[in-house]
Amino acid sequence: MLQRLDPAAATLRLFFEGAPIAARPGDSVAAALLAAGADCFRTTPLRGARRAAFCMMGVCFDCLVEIDGIANRQACLTPVAEGMQVRRQHDAGDGA
Ligand code: FES
């Protein structure tokens, strides 16, 4: 499990699956979720396998989440914002 070196520096609050998560300005959504202990960002369309951020640089697409109602957002490339609503993405993110 990942941990922040300085947890007191977290000053923003976003929500993952409705639960509040502390983050720092400049964090990516993926970094904030990992620091909060999230181990599943999405499930795959064919087998429903659990995935979480892997490359942290926009290549693998294992970090796809729904952010503020918009699916297929790469959590590793999206900076956090106060009050952001993040949800785990299932299937292809199209509700199918
Ligand atoms: S973690 Fe690989 S694209 Fe985001």
Side-chain angles (χ1 to χ4, degrees):
M1 181 171 153
L2 301 174
Q3 285 186 303
R4 291 186 183 281
L5 295 176
D6 182 8
T11 58
L12 292 178
R13 187 175 63 163
L14 62 150
F15 297 86
F16 182 53
E17 296 291 329
I21 287 177
R24 292 184 301 197
D27 279 353
S28 68
V29 171
L33 296 184
L34 290 171
D39 63 355
C40 177
F41 288 27
R42 71 177 184 103
T43 57
T44 60
L46 291 180
R47 297 190 176 179
R50 297 161 59 91
R51 295 285 187 261
F54 180 68
C55 72
M56 297 296 281
M57 60 183 189
V59 176
C60 73
F61 289 81
D62 276 345
C63 65
L64 294 179
V65 291
E66 179 185 302
I67 298 177
D68 293 334
I70 301 173
N72 293 314
R73 302 283 307 273
Q74 285 177 279
C76 69
L77 299 182
T78 305
V80 294
E82 178 67 35
M84 182 179 263
Q85 297 285 336
V86 182
R87 296 216 164 266
R88 196 170 283 130
Q89 181 167 310
H90 301 285
D91 301 319
D94 57 3

